[in-house]
């Protein structure tokens, strides 16, 4: 028997060999454990866990063993091992190409590059999955294949996500690998590795892939369940000692490959749920140390109506502006600093403290920035639209507007600019940059928009 080999029991029950000693084998059952009892015969199948890969899987919903869950037959003969070695340092190239999420707050202040691992972290019901789904929707015309791994989610929640992706036409470039909360711990444990194996197949073909692990907190719990049942020694919070290695060997498989290997990439968006906003807990700190940055969603901001509820102070991208469109890069850095200063000053202002004119102006500007960064759950912005809104902030287009009118005004501004300067927007989309002539053209259009608005 080999480590990770699939074992077959009576009544078509399968198990996964995880502990190998001189005279015993420890295995985790994958299905129908009620049919296995003392005296049951276990047979080695001679193959380790693998999953079907290839273009035939795109648009499908499968379980970690490659069996279709959407009621349609799946015909593919190509398979790939679930566990594979991560690319070495020599096999990798620097992360320099941006991956747009369609969320202005992320693309401007916490940019994500192709081949990066960016953690999405926050309490339950703060919009973590929404950010990942927005990133999937934005890849529709970018040629990026998306994989969504639902780990131990309620079957109804996974069905809602699949339905939403089908309704918007985004299942055409998406694969869903799902294990339900009712599935065994072993199936939940295999889910992210199976999704990663599918992603690797496309990456080594020279294609770009985005993979979402939703979420690794449940994955850690499933692995802890298996380890305790296998009588492995327990460590902190009863997790086994190799829990860090579990997630590092998964996330390290995400990479930007070197041109010699085709130049493909796998961008990973792992999701981790915190309790009471505690990012210093065991699993969150482990994964923060593995990833290239994190997007922290604050429940306080969420309940205050700021959606997405991104806490700029605790969010960071370690790739930084090296994987960011120049059109957004030159404003994004200043925007991040201004919002951080605003959040600090707003604490004093809410207690009625006396503030000078400069501080009042800074708070006034910060409030307008926060309003412009608000986005609906299914709303995505292109690079050009994001650049226009950021330029409008620096040009003080929203300075004299009441806060309640800014949401409608920013969409009206985008419609006006699309009609007045279509060439400039096409140039930004094509190059990702803003030259001085286009900036001047856009500012003229914004001034004209304000004149019409004030006259009306």
């Amino acid at each position: 028997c080999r480590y990770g080999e699939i074992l077959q029991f009576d009544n078509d029950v399968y198990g996964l060999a995880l502990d190998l000693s001189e005279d015993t084998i420890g295995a985790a059952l994958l299905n129908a454990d009620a049919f296995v009892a003392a005296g049951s015969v276990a047979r080695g199948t001679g193959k380790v866990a693998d999953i079907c890969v290839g273009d035939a899987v795109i648009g499908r919903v499968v379980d970690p063993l490659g069996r279709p869950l959407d009621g349609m037959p799946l015909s593919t003969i190509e398979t790939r091992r679930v566990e594979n070695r991560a690319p070495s340092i020599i096999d990798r190239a620097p992360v320099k190409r941006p991956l747009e999420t369609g969320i202005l707050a992320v693309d401007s202040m916490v940019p994500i590059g192709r081949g990066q691992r960016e953690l999405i972290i926050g309490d339950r019901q703060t919009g973590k999955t929404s950010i990942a789904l927005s990133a999937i929707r934005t890849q529709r015309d970018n040629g990026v294949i998306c994989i969504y791994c639902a780990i131990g989610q309620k079957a109804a929640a996974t069905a809602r996500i699949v339905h939403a992706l089908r309704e918007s036409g985004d299942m055409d470039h998406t694969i869903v690998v799902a294990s339900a909360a009712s599935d065994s711990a072993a199936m939940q444990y295999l889910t992210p590795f199976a999704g990663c194996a599918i992603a690797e197949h496309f990456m080594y073909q020279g294609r770009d892939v985005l993979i979402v692990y939703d979420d690794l907190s449940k994955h850690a719990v499933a692995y802890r369940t298996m380890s305790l049942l296998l009588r492995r020694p327990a460590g902190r919070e009863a997790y086994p000692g190799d829990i860090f290695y579990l997630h590092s060997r998964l996330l390290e498989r995400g990479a930007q490959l070197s041109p010699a290997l085709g130049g493909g990439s796998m961008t990973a968006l792992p999701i981790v749920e915190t309790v009471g906003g505690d990012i210093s807990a065991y699993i969150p700190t482990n994964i923060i140390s593995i990833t290239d940055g994190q997007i922290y969603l604050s429940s306080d901001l969420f309940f205050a109506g700021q959606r997405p509820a991104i806490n700029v102070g605790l969010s960071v991208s370690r790739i930084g502006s090296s994987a960011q469109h120049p059109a957004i890069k030159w404003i994004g850095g200043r925007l991040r600093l201004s919002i951080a200063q605003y959040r600090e000053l707003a604490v004093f202002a809410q207690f009625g403290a006396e503030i000078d004119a400069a501080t009042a102006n800074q708070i006034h500007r910060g409030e307008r920035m926060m309003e412009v960064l608000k986005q609906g759950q299914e709303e995505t912005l292109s690079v050009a639209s994001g650049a226009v809104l950021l330029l409008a902030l620096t040009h003080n287009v929203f300075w004299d507007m009441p806060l309640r009118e800014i949401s409608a005004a920013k969409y009206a501004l985008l419609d006006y600019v699309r009609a007045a300067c279509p060439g400039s927007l096409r140039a930004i989309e094509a190059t990702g940059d803003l030259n001085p002539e286009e900036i001047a053209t856009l500012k003229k259009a914004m001034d004209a928009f304000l004149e019409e608005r004030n006259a009306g």
Side-chain angles (χ1 to χ4, degrees):
C1 181
R2 290 186 288 171
Y3 176 81
E5 183 174 338
I6 298 292
L7 306 179
Q8 185 175 12
F9 298 85
D10 298 329
N11 299 310
D12 268 348
V13 178
Y14 291 92
L16 185 69
L18 291 171
D19 274 357
L20 304 178
S21 60
E22 288 185 11
D23 47 10
T24 58
I25 297 168
L29 293 173
L30 295 169
N31 59 341
D33 55 354
F35 293 109
V36 178
S40 296
V41 177
R43 302 173 184 84
T45 60
K47 68 170 190 174
V48 293
D50 58 15
I51 189 164
C52 49
V53 295
D55 289 342
V57 189
I58 297 176
R60 303 301 303 274
V61 184
V62 297
D63 73 3
L65 299 177
R67 299 175 298 195
L69 298 175
D70 48 13
M72 294 179 284
L74 179 59
S75 57
T76 176
I77 56 171
E78 202 170 355
T79 60
R80 185 178 179 86
R81 286 178 54 172
V82 163
E83 289 265 17
N84 287 293
R85 186 174 293 178
S88 67
I89 294 172
I90 303 300
D91 294 337
R92 297 171 185 256
V95 175
K96 290 184 177 177
R97 296 180 298 148
L99 182 124
E100 300 87 8
T101 63
I103 300 171
L104 184 59
V106 174
D107 293 340
S108 60
M109 296 185 289
V110 199
I112 300 172
R114 298 191 185 192
Q116 185 174 348
R117 289 79 46 92
E118 183 80 5
L119 173 64
I120 302 173
I121 186 169
D123 285 5
R124 64 184 301 274
Q125 299 294 319
T126 49
K128 300 184 297 297
T129 303
S130 296
I131 286 183
L133 293 178
S134 292
I136 289 174
R137 290 189 188 97
T138 307
Q139 309 316 314
R140 187 183 308 161
D141 302 318
N142 294 342
V144 178
I145 296 165
C146 302
I147 299 168
Y148 177 78
C149 298
I151 307 166
Q153 301 285 344
K154 286 185 277 190
T158 305
R160 276 198 302 272
I161 288 170
V162 172
H163 178 72
L165 291 172
R166 283 216 171 98
E167 287 286 300
S168 60
D170 293 303
M171 272 304 283
D172 295 340
H173 63 91
T174 305
I175 302 159
V176 176
V177 183
S179 58
S182 57
D183 286 342
S184 66
M187 289 287 276
Q188 295 179 35
Y189 158 77
L190 277 180
T191 303
F193 291 102
C196 191
I198 297 173
E200 277 179 331
H201 170 78
F202 295 115
M203 177 176 72
Y204 283 105
Q205 286 184 341
R207 298 159 85 174
D208 294 315
V209 190
L210 169 67
I211 184 164
V212 177
Y213 302 115
D214 191 5
D215 64 79
L216 291 187
S217 305
K218 289 187 178 70
H219 185 237
V221 169
Y223 188 63
R224 177 174 64 182
T225 303
M226 287 166 44
S227 297
L228 292 174
L229 289 172
L230 288 167
R231 299 184 181 178
R232 291 178 178 173
R236 180 176 161 189
E237 293 180 25
Y239 288 106
D242 63 339
I243 192 74
F244 182 91
Y245 175 61
L246 170 78
H247 287 143
S248 65
R249 76 174 189 264
L250 170 69
L251 293 169
E252 284 297 320
R253 288 161 73 178
Q256 167 66 60
L257 293 181
S258 65
L261 288 176
S265 71
M266 187 202 305
T267 308
L269 295 181
I271 296 174
V272 166
E273 186 177 294
T274 56
V275 178
D278 182 16
I279 61 172
S280 63
Y282 188 31
I283 300 302
T285 49
N286 274 355
I287 300 176
I288 284 171
S289 67
I290 296 166
T291 52
D292 306 314
Q294 69 273 349
I295 299 168
Y296 177 67
L297 301 176
S298 162
S299 51
D300 293 340
L301 287 173
F302 186 85
F303 296 131
Q306 185 69 35
R307 317 279 171 84
I310 297 173
N311 183 321
V312 177
L314 292 176
S315 300
V316 66
S317 171
R318 296 191 185 102
I319 302 300
S321 57
S322 59
Q324 197 173 20
H325 289 291
I328 294 175
K329 181 178 179 178
W330 71 281
I331 305 173
R334 286 183 290 168
L335 179 73
R336 182 186 178 90
L337 182 62
S338 297
I339 287 179
Q341 290 172 339
Y342 157 72
R343 292 286 310 281
E344 199 172 316
L345 293 171
V347 173
F348 293 101
Q350 71 182 3
F351 293 118
E354 289 187 16
I355 51 176
D356 57 25
T359 305
N361 277 344
Q362 208 161 359
I363 292 173
H364 185 83
R365 182 184 298 277
E367 288 171 341
R368 274 134 192 84
M369 287 177 176
M370 297 296 276
E371 281 297 316
V372 169
L373 290 176
K374 287 182 181 177
Q375 269 181 256
Q377 191 168 340
E378 296 185 4
E379 173 199 340
T380 56
L381 290 172
S382 65
V383 175
S385 299
V388 167
L389 289 178
L390 292 175
L391 183 62
L393 280 172
T394 63
H395 196 50
N396 291 334
V397 171
F398 306 107
W399 185 263
D400 295 322
M401 294 183 192
L403 289 177
R404 63 180 180 276
E405 295 178 12
I406 289 177
S407 180
K410 71 178 184 181
Y411 297 116
L413 172 67
L414 286 174
D415 290 338
Y416 187 90
V417 170
R418 284 188 194 110
C421 319
S424 296
L425 295 187
R426 280 196 298 270
I428 296 170
E429 287 292 349
T431 63
D433 204 353
L434 264 173
N435 60 44
E437 292 80 12
E438 282 157 2
I439 292 174
T441 304
L442 290 171
K443 283 183 176 179
K444 280 182 187 175
M446 290 172 188
D447 291 337
F449 167 77
L450 279 177
E451 283 178 21
E452 282 190 21
R453 180 183 169 85
N454 294 335

